[in-house]
Each structure stands twice: as C-alpha cells, then as structure tokens.
Amino acid sequence: MNKLKVLITREEIERKVAELADELRRDYQDKHPLLIGILKGSFVFMSDLIRKLNIPVEIDFVKLSSYGAGKEPSDKIKQVQGVKTSIKDRHVLVIEDIVDRGRTVRFLLDYLGRRKPASLKLCTMFDKPSRRVTEVPIDYLGFTVPDAFVVGYGLDLNEEFRYLPDLCVLEDQE
Ligand code: IMP
C-alpha cells in the first residue's frame, strides 16, 4: 500500500510558475521562442507556464522513453516521437517536469543541439540532483527535491497520480 505525503503545495507551485514566467518573459520577450515539452510529465507545467508567460510562444512536444513500469529507470533512452517544428535558428526552450539521473534531458539537448537552434535552454520544474549520472545545465529551475519518488503535477507512477495538484512523496506503508 502507498501513502501520499504532500511535499510542495499547489500554492507554492503556482507562485513558482509565476516567478519563472516573469524571468522567462524578460529573457524571451521579443524572441518568439519555441517551447518543447517532454511528454508526458511536462504537460501540466507547460500549460500553466504558457498562460502565465503572456508573450507569443510556439509549443511542441517530444516523447522519449526512460522509465518503464515502476520506479526504476532503464538505461536506454530512445526517441519515440520527434519534434515536428523546424528548430534551425529558433530560440528553443526545453520544458521538463523533473531532472533525475539526467539522461532524458541530456539526450534531447544533444539531439536538438545538432539541429542548429539560435539558442537552446532548459527549464525544469523539479530537480533531483542527488541522482545525477550525467551533467545537465539547468537554466531555469522551480524546486530542488530530495531523493524520493515524487508524483503529482504531471508526474506519475505507472500512469497514476498525474492529476494531483500538489507534488507528493509516495511512502511505502506496511
Ligand atoms: P532521467 O533521465 O533519470 O533524468 O529521468 C527523467 C524522467 O524520469 C522524467 O521526465 C520523469 O518522467 C521520470 N522521473 C524521474 N524521477 C521521477 C519521480 O520521482 N517521479 C516520477 N517520475 C520521475
């Protein structure tokens, strides 16, 4: 049995999204950036962020696989669904839910970097630096979280809990 404990409340998340949006608005005001979200986890953050940004942006999504079923990641990242929009000479901002071991984002940044964008940056809502196995430059960060499996605000365990408005820790219960 799993028990959910709130780690970051919906109010804290809402305030942080507004802060990030202010920062991004200053940096991307006249650049008509292309925001690329990593499915499925980033869809909640992406939709909150673009509505707070209040500047013209284009969005796209890419689907990569890293976690199979359960909590343990697999080592191989393979691209499942690519970017539809041409990114050459565009200001590209990758939107991620959580950077954990770092492999997912590293793979995508390398893949996008080869396609010659005008700029390429990363915005992630959550970061779990204690688990990192590869270096990832985070340009815009919401919250650093401890080494625990978290769900809610788009994040799942076996496709459950994405709908929770707070970020929660799953605790095993006897
Ligand atoms: P990485 O390649 O290890 O950085 O994995 C990143 C991906 O793993 C994220 O996009 C999430 O989909 C998933 N992930 C990592 N940590 C968690 C977690 O605590 N809860 C839910 N999903 C996670």
Side-chain angles (χ1 to χ4, degrees):
M1 259 287 273
N2 287 313
K3 191 179 155 219
L4 293 167
K5 191 179 130 221
V6 174
L7 185 66
I8 302 173
T9 65
R10 63 199 76 182
E11 292 82 11
E12 291 172 302
I13 289 173
E14 195 182 336
R15 277 198 296 275
K16 186 63 77 176
V17 172
E19 277 173 36
L20 285 170
D22 287 346
E23 210 181 330
L24 289 167
R25 193 179 314 111
R26 279 195 298 272
D27 294 352
Y28 286 95
Q29 188 82 260
D30 307 311
K31 295 184 171 159
H32 193 243
L34 171 64
L35 274 51
I36 300 181
I38 306 182
L39 289 172
K40 301 179 191 173
S42 72
F43 83 103
V44 176
F45 177 38
M46 174 77 104
S47 70
D48 281 352
L49 189 66
I50 57 168
R51 286 174 297 168
K52 281 269 188 278
L53 260 177
N54 209 18
I55 57 169
V57 298
E58 204 175 323
I59 65 162
D60 204 342
F61 286 97
V62 64
K63 194 161 197 296
L64 303 159
S65 56
S66 57
Y67 276 74
K71 298 181 186 175
E72 275 317 301
S74 85
D75 277 346
K76 290 225 167 62
I77 307 277
K78 59 177 192 305
Q79 182 138 7
V80 180
Q81 182 195 308
V83 185
K84 301 256 184 347
T85 326
S86 165
I87 66 159
K88 190 166 180 302
D89 300 327
R90 297 292 307 268
H91 292 282
V92 175
L93 181 64
V94 172
I95 306 293
E96 175 62 312
D97 51 359
I98 186 165
V99 180
D100 181 24
R101 303 208 303 169
R103 288 190 203 277
T104 306
V105 157
R106 182 74 271 160
F107 176 90
L108 185 62
L109 291 175
D110 291 346
Y111 172 91
L112 296 174
R114 288 194 292 274
R115 282 155 182 79
K116 308 259 183 295
S119 69
L120 179 59
K121 295 207 168 165
L122 170 65
C123 173
T124 183
M125 191 50 171
F126 306 109
D127 180 25
K128 225 193 273 181
S130 53
R131 300 237 315 156
R132 201 75 92 253
V133 296
T134 179
E135 201 200 322
V136 172
I138 297 177
D139 301 288
Y140 304 91
L141 171 65
F143 300 93
T144 299
V145 297
D147 182 7
F149 200 82
V150 288
V151 294
Y153 201 65
L155 290 157
D156 75 310
L157 173 64
N158 295 335
E159 297 302 328
E160 271 300 318
F161 309 119
R162 289 193 198 277
Y163 53 85
L164 296 173
D166 307 303
L167 187 79
C168 300
V169 177
L170 266 180
E171 294 178 328
D172 288 331
Q173 224 180 13
E174 299 290 302

